[in-house]
Amino acid sequence: MDVHEKTATWTAPPVRPQWQLALRFAGSVVWFPVVCVLWAAVVGAFLVVGMFAEVITAFSSRLERGYLDAMGWTVDRVGRLASWCVSWPELRHEGDVEYYKARVEKAVGKWTARASAPIEPKKPKPPVECAIPLRVYRGVGGWYVAEVALAQGWELRPTDEREEVRLWWAAAPKNG
């Protein structure tokens, strides 16, 4: 694949030890519900404060932008508390190349179906960009995502392959 300079990073990450995944999964069973409750509480608190701040934001768009930025930043940070969690499929299929190939094909196929859908009046336009997260292609590497996506009409976008592979629908209209 000659579209990227760092081809070594496009390989699959090393297989994680089963005992480590089992410990992470056990921790995930306890920790993930706590993060979900915390996330809901933070969103609820921002909504309550937002109802009172609505009076002020009617006069200041700068305050509204700042409030929305702070809310987005905080919600993202709370969500990252669960970034180390391991799901049941990850525990069961770590190192299973065929499972991850099927997972990549399903994810890219889903995005292709969305992007190639006809534009309907009074409905949002189909997405022209997407990101396939590392959880989807961990067992095969980003090169397989690129291979499948290029075959379905996607173009690669600048990306950090260790986190996600970003794609842009090549058939999208250029004038936005």
Side-chain angles (χ1 to χ4, degrees):
M1 179 136 332
D2 56 58
V3 289
H4 292 282
E5 297 172 20
K6 304 179 294 180
T7 55
T9 61
W10 285 80
T11 60
V15 176
R16 299 172 287 186
Q18 194 66 27
W19 65 268
Q20 182 187 43
L21 289 174
L23 282 175
R24 282 185 170 193
F25 178 73
S28 300
V29 169
V30 175
W31 180 242
F32 188 71
V34 172
V35 172
C36 289
V37 169
L38 180 62
W39 186 88
V42 166
V43 169
F46 268 103
L47 290 176
V48 168
V49 170
M51 287 189 304
F52 293 110
E54 186 66 30
V55 174
I56 298 170
T57 59
F59 303 109
S60 170
S61 63
R62 184 175 176 204
L63 176 67
E64 183 175 14
R65 277 193 306 273
Y67 177 79
L68 292 174
D69 290 345
M71 183 171 125
W73 182 86
T74 306
V75 168
D76 286 346
R77 294 290 184 257
V78 171
R80 287 186 189 154
L81 291 174
S83 64
W84 60 268
C85 291
V86 172
S87 66
W88 180 249
E90 286 176 303
L91 177 64
R92 287 187 48 225
H93 297 288
E94 183 73 16
D96 183 358
V97 175
E98 294 305 315
Y99 171 78
Y100 280 100
K101 281 184 176 183
R103 202 168 172 181
V104 166
E105 291 165 6
K106 180 180 176 185
V108 174
K110 179 184 82 172
W111 281 106
T112 301
R114 286 182 183 171
S116 62
I119 297 174
E120 297 180 30
K122 297 185 180 182
K123 294 219 174 176
K125 292 181 181 176
V128 295
E129 272 193 81
C130 73
I132 309 294
L134 176 62
R135 278 182 191 240
V136 173
Y137 63 87
R138 177 176 249 302
V140 289
W143 67 270
Y144 191 73
V145 175
E147 189 177 281
V148 170
L150 290 171
Q152 293 186 22
W154 291 91
E155 292 179 5
L156 297 173
R157 286 289 172 237
T159 185
D160 182 3
E161 311 83 32
R162 295 164 296 190
E163 292 180 15
E164 65 186 8
V165 174
R166 298 199 56 78
L167 305 170
W168 185 76
W169 183 241
K174 301 291 184 199
N175 58 359

